[in-house]
Amino acid sequence: MDEKNYIEINRTSYDIVAEEYKEKYKNNSGANKFYEILQEFVLSKKNKDNPKMLEIGPGTGTLLKLFEEKNFRTTAVELSKNMASLACEASNNSVIINGNILDINFMPKQFDFILAMAVIHNFPENDLIKLLDKIKLWLKDDGCFILDTTNNPITETGFFEKEDYNNNVIRYRRKWKKEDLEMFMQQQGFIIHDSTIYKDTTSNKEWLIYSFKK
């Protein structure tokens, strides 16, 4: 597979697994624990009423709904049409844009929080740098950029089968090693503000959760 076509490959993959994704994480104990940890992680950094939040890659919209209920004003950009449709159903008060985040332009310093949960590992390095430059532009001076990804023994890239799904879909994936990710983010001008690790026993994965300041 050609890395140049990774966006269309990923879009197709997430369109295929959207309904399965929704069912897989409904009443899933590992996912519910993650949502609980992430809510606490974000809310501890909330310093104003009705903060503006952008979620990149909201999937089926679970987090959008949770933060809408906490009085966040939420906007999201979702690559997959099928995922975006499910997100609209889950959180109908959110503004949800179906498109490629690299093609989207928001106003400078528009958001208090920007979330990218299980997202940054879907971009090759050059496009990830472009995305991070956009995030720095869109984030308020006192804002937080929050991301998560899995911790891996080595950093490697390629097209991998999406694990634990019936459809055997392939998508582009960068598997980050913790130390490499932290160094890369610092090189792009982000300072680690806070971090935690969540070990999901249901999937046997270790998730790295970070809050960054620019």
Side-chain angles (χ1 to χ4, degrees):
M1 290 185 177
D2 189 344
E3 188 175 290
K4 293 179 181 178
N5 299 322
Y6 82 96
I7 291 175
E8 289 307 315
I9 292 169
N10 285 4
R11 189 199 313 271
T12 300
S13 296
Y14 283 101
D15 276 344
I16 291 170
V17 302
E19 286 291 343
E20 185 180 354
Y21 186 98
K22 178 182 177 181
E23 292 302 315
K24 182 180 179 66
Y25 289 103
K26 185 187 296 182
N27 301 319
N28 179 294
S29 60
N32 290 338
K33 182 62 177 178
F34 168 74
Y35 299 145
E36 178 184 323
I37 290 171
L38 184 65
Q39 278 190 88
E40 294 176 358
F41 191 78
V42 173
L43 291 174
S44 69
K45 297 158 184 61
K46 180 184 173 188
N47 58 13
K48 65 182 70 172
D49 294 332
N50 307 119
K52 293 182 179 180
M53 173 183 283
L54 169 66
E55 185 174 7
I56 302 169
T60 58
T62 301
L63 290 175
L64 287 175
K65 181 179 179 181
L66 290 174
F67 286 113
E68 274 286 339
E69 292 172 349
K70 299 293 184 183
N71 298 317
F72 285 71
R73 297 168 60 188
T74 57
T75 300
V77 179
E78 171 57 53
L79 179 66
S80 160
K81 181 179 179 180
N82 293 348
M83 287 285 197
S85 178
L86 294 173
C88 287
E89 292 177 13
S91 186
N92 53 25
N93 288 324
S94 300
V95 176
I96 299 174
I97 301 167
N98 176 213
N100 178 1
I101 188 65
L102 295 174
D103 296 331
I104 304 296
N105 292 303
F106 292 108
M107 295 293 292
K109 301 181 181 180
Q110 186 170 341
F111 298 103
D112 301 287
F113 289 90
I114 297 179
L115 266 62
M117 315 314 296
V119 165
I120 67 159
H121 50 237
N122 292 331
F123 291 87
E125 185 170 310
N126 287 343
D127 277 356
L128 180 54
I129 291 173
K130 293 176 185 177
L131 175 59
L132 293 174
D133 285 342
K134 283 176 172 282
I135 288 169
K136 282 187 287 187
L137 178 66
W138 299 335
L139 196 63
K140 293 184 180 180
D141 290 337
D142 60 349
C144 290
F145 172 42
I146 296 174
L147 66 80
D148 78 337
T149 190
T150 54
N151 189 18
N152 298 276
I154 61 172
T155 297
E156 58 178 333
T157 62
F159 288 92
F160 300 94
E161 185 175 305
K162 192 161 175 55
E163 299 171 3
D164 305 324
Y165 285 82
N166 295 325
N167 291 289
N168 301 319
V169 297
I170 303 293
R171 51 82 185 261
Y172 178 85
R173 180 76 149 83
R174 174 181 287 264
K175 297 183 178 182
W176 284 99
K177 181 180 178 181
K178 179 177 183 289
E179 293 78 9
D180 293 342
L181 174 62
E182 292 178 355
M183 181 180 298
F184 176 80
M185 291 299 294
Q186 290 171 5
Q187 290 171 345
Q188 307 314 312
F190 287 90
I191 301 168
I192 297 175
H193 175 239
D194 194 7
S195 65
T196 190
I197 295 175
Y198 170 49
K199 295 182 179 180
D200 184 355
T201 56
T202 64
S203 64
N204 198 32
K205 293 179 181 179
E206 183 175 86
W207 287 89
L208 309 171
I209 306 173
Y210 291 96
S211 169
F212 291 97
K213 298 285 189 179
K214 60 180 182 177

